[in-house]
Amino acid sequence: QILKDYLQRLFPDIPIVSEEDESSLDIPKNHKTYWLIDPLDGTKEFINKSDEFTCNLALIENSNATLGFVSIPVKELVYFGGKEFGSKVIHKDKKISEVKYKSKKGICRVVASKSHLNERTKKFIENIEGKVELIQAGSSLKFIKIAEGLADIYPRLSPTSEWDTAAAQAILEGSGGEVLQLNKKKVVYGKANILNPHFIARGL
């Protein structure tokens, strides 16, 4: 409600689609520009009193996530960015620093879900050549790990919804990464079905 109130005050002409508001799900049919929010991403992590839950806010324009904000409330961090802007993080002390993907020589660091590591994902990881390190994280933090250069690839071979990925996708693209469907097409938003196809997020 706090997010919606402030967004409506700042941008009264941009409608809001939220996971918590079922009546808003028809907005993309008639609007090319809208906010897409997930007020609590990582419900299981939240319930288990982990710090790995986030608040996600994305601007969708012509089916693309052009700007994203991901906050980690427990750590008082706010990540933001987009492909056209680059990506940054606001720290607890209000300091702002750049977020940029960096690879690590000689190893492929795979980030996967703490709650949704299925057999298909395990097989994908097993088929990666060379040395592999598995990193587990909750919520949209899996994208953020790549954006910060702490991981290289995130295979998502189980269901997600558009509000789970849009904000973090924008930040990853701003840091030097991409999110592609298995057919190598970009993951897009405002589909008739709110579910995403399976995808691979990675640093470039």
Side-chain angles (χ1 to χ4, degrees), residues 5 59 70 78 92 99 103 147 151-152 162 166 172-173 197 202 204:
D5 287 349
L59 180 65
V70 171
V78 180
K92 186 176 180 179
V99 174
S103 61
D152 302 299
E162 292 190 357
L172 177 56
E173 289 176 349
R202 62 174 187 165
L204 296 174

Side-chain angles (χ1 to χ4, degrees), residues 48-125:
N48 292 331
K49 301 192 185 313
S50 161
D51 60 9
E52 292 193 340
F53 63 90
T54 61
C55 179
N56 302 338
L57 164 63
L59 180 65
I60 308 299
E61 298 179 283
N62 298 312
S63 301
N64 292 304
T66 56
L67 181 62
F69 299 84
V70 171
S71 73
I72 309 174
V74 175
K75 295 183 178 180
E76 297 186 48
L77 295 170
V78 180
Y79 294 81
F80 65 98
K83 193 170 185 178
E84 302 300 319
F85 313 104
S87 293
K88 293 181 171 61
V89 57
I90 306 172
H91 299 269
K92 186 176 180 179
D93 60 3
K94 304 297 189 285
K95 178 186 173 185
I96 299 176
S97 56
E98 187 179 22
V99 174
K100 198 76 177 170
Y101 169 73
K102 301 177 194 70
S103 61
K104 190 175 181 181
K105 194 173 182 180
I107 190 168
C108 179
R109 299 161 298 169
V110 183
V111 62
S113 174
K114 280 190 170 177
S115 307
H116 305 283
L117 188 59
N118 61 14
E119 285 303 316
R120 192 173 178 190
T121 306
K122 289 177 184 175
K123 285 184 179 179
F124 179 95
I125 295 169

Side-chain angles (χ1 to χ4, degrees), residues 156-192:
R156 185 63 188 223
L157 308 177
S158 58
T160 56
S161 295
E162 292 190 357
W163 44 67
D164 295 319
T165 60
Q169 177 175 340
I171 292 165
L172 177 56
E173 289 176 349
S175 76
E178 65 180 7
V179 183
L180 299 179
Q181 302 176 46
L182 300 187
N183 62 8
K184 297 187 178 179
K185 291 184 178 179
K186 188 175 177 180
V187 173
V188 294
Y189 297 89
K191 305 183 298 294

